Amino acid sequence: MKHFKKILILLFVLSTHIFAQKSKTDSLQKGKALKPKLQSLIIPASLITYGIVGLESHQLKFLNADIKNELSEHIDTKFTIDDVSQYSPFLSVYALNALGVEGKHNFKDRTIILGTAYLIMGATVNTIKKTSNVERPDGSSNNSFPSGHTATAFMGAEFLFQEYRDISPWYGVMGYAVATGTGFFRMYNDRHWLTDVAAGAGIGILSTKIAYWVHPYIKNAFFKDRKTADGMVAPFYNGKQMGLGISMSF
């Protein structure tokens, strides 16, 4: 397929920033707030911009249509693996910790960060969906832009990368590979356009970055006197809808 290379180049470029950032320290040290690094915003900002431009650009709309047509011509069977894979990257953080591979933060801090990122991402995606009025490729609804599944997956991939970047960048690479696969399957299953996926990926990455930057403020404001926490993080499915459930006790 002539456009598959374009898809892979656009999506897998997301993983390159893992190695670009490896030598830079974004750790939350001694409760100090992090200063955003402009270079770390280039990829998510570019992806979001690509998606927004695609709302009006005839060329990008034609590219979206070409990709949809090529996928429709060559793919007969749909796979709903993206309904599960969107949660895999961030759940991997908790799984690795349970297996004894400790990340950057304890349960309390990483859950506050994840909850913050999820709130930012969810609020952003749902607000834009309600106002963008973009029809899905399968014609089922007009809330295609941006892709929530992809945003969730890339939010988790960045979360996994940040927690384990000092141990090995390959954890982040694996997370981004899963997130990229999630984005691809959203197009494969005729649920999203390439521009939806690109914007979702950018929103997901940016949401996690913001969550890490503001974490010291949130922790000091709401959790300063709470030393320990127990709880669980898990996706839920009620037969029609899927989401994230976070339960904590202090």
Side-chain angles (χ1 to χ4, degrees):
M1 296 182 182
K2 63 182 180 180
H3 290 302
F4 270 17
K5 286 185 177 180
K6 295 180 181 179
I7 298 173
L8 293 175
I9 290 173
L10 179 62
L11 295 178
F12 276 103
V13 73
L14 301 167
S15 298
T16 61
H17 85 294
I18 293 176
F19 295 100
Q21 295 183 82
K22 182 68 176 85
S23 61
K24 298 178 175 62
T25 302
D26 282 342
S27 302
L28 303 179
Q29 297 177 348
K30 300 180 181 179
K32 294 182 179 180
L34 298 177
K35 292 183 179 180
K37 294 180 173 62
L38 292 180
Q39 61 266 36
S40 69
L41 300 178
I42 293 175
I43 289 180
S46 298
L47 289 166
I48 294 170
T49 300
Y50 177 90
I52 293 174
V53 171
L55 294 175
E56 299 295 336
S57 170
H58 293 298
Q59 289 184 328
L60 295 185
K61 286 182 178 180
F62 286 143
L63 176 59
N64 280 342
D66 284 346
I67 293 172
K68 169 185 164 55
N69 292 335
E70 289 184 6
L71 289 172
S72 298
E73 290 176 2
H74 293 84
I75 296 174
D76 298 320
T77 305
K78 304 297 182 183
F79 296 96
T80 58
I81 188 173
D82 44 303
D83 287 336
V84 177
S85 64
Q86 62 175 318
Y87 301 111
S88 298
F90 75 74
L91 288 177
S92 296
V93 174
Y94 291 88
L96 287 167
N97 274 270
L99 293 172
V101 185
E102 295 185 0
K104 185 180 297 182
H105 297 97
N106 58 30
F107 178 89
K108 173 186 172 182
D109 286 333
R110 66 174 177 268
T111 303
I112 293 171
I113 292 169
L114 176 61
T116 304
Y118 201 91
L119 286 173
I120 295 170
M121 181 275 298
T124 303
V125 168
N126 289 322
T127 299
I128 297 175
K129 277 182 176 293
K130 292 179 180 179
T131 57
S132 59
N133 196 37
V134 177
E135 186 178 24
R136 290 183 184 271
D138 62 4
S140 62
S141 63
N142 292 324
N143 62 349
S144 187
F145 183 86
S147 169
H149 281 61
T150 307
T152 300
F154 278 91
M155 175 201 73
E158 180 67 14
F159 179 55
L160 177 62
F161 164 61
Q162 292 292 343
E163 286 299 305
Y164 287 96
R165 60 184 297 177
D166 295 329
I167 297 176
S168 171
W170 290 105
Y171 288 109
V173 170
M174 289 186 290
Y176 269 91
V178 172
T180 298
T182 300
F184 173 78
F185 275 104
R186 295 310 285 166
M187 294 184 292
Y188 178 101
N189 290 323
D190 209 25
R191 296 293 290 165
H192 282 290
W193 308 102
L194 177 60
T195 44
D196 302 337
V197 168
I203 291 170
I205 296 171
L206 185 59
S207 296
T208 299
K209 288 184 180 296
I210 293 173
Y212 274 91
W213 292 333
V214 303
H215 174 64
Y217 299 112
I218 293 177
K219 183 177 180 181
N220 290 333
F222 300 104
F223 305 96
K224 186 175 182 179
D225 298 325
R226 301 174 184 182
K227 304 299 183 182
T228 61
D230 294 310
M232 62 179 295
V233 179
F236 68 83
Y237 178 64
N238 62 12
K240 294 182 179 180
Q241 297 175 320
M242 298 187 73
L244 171 70
I246 300 178
S247 175
M248 295 184 68
S249 61
F250 298 92

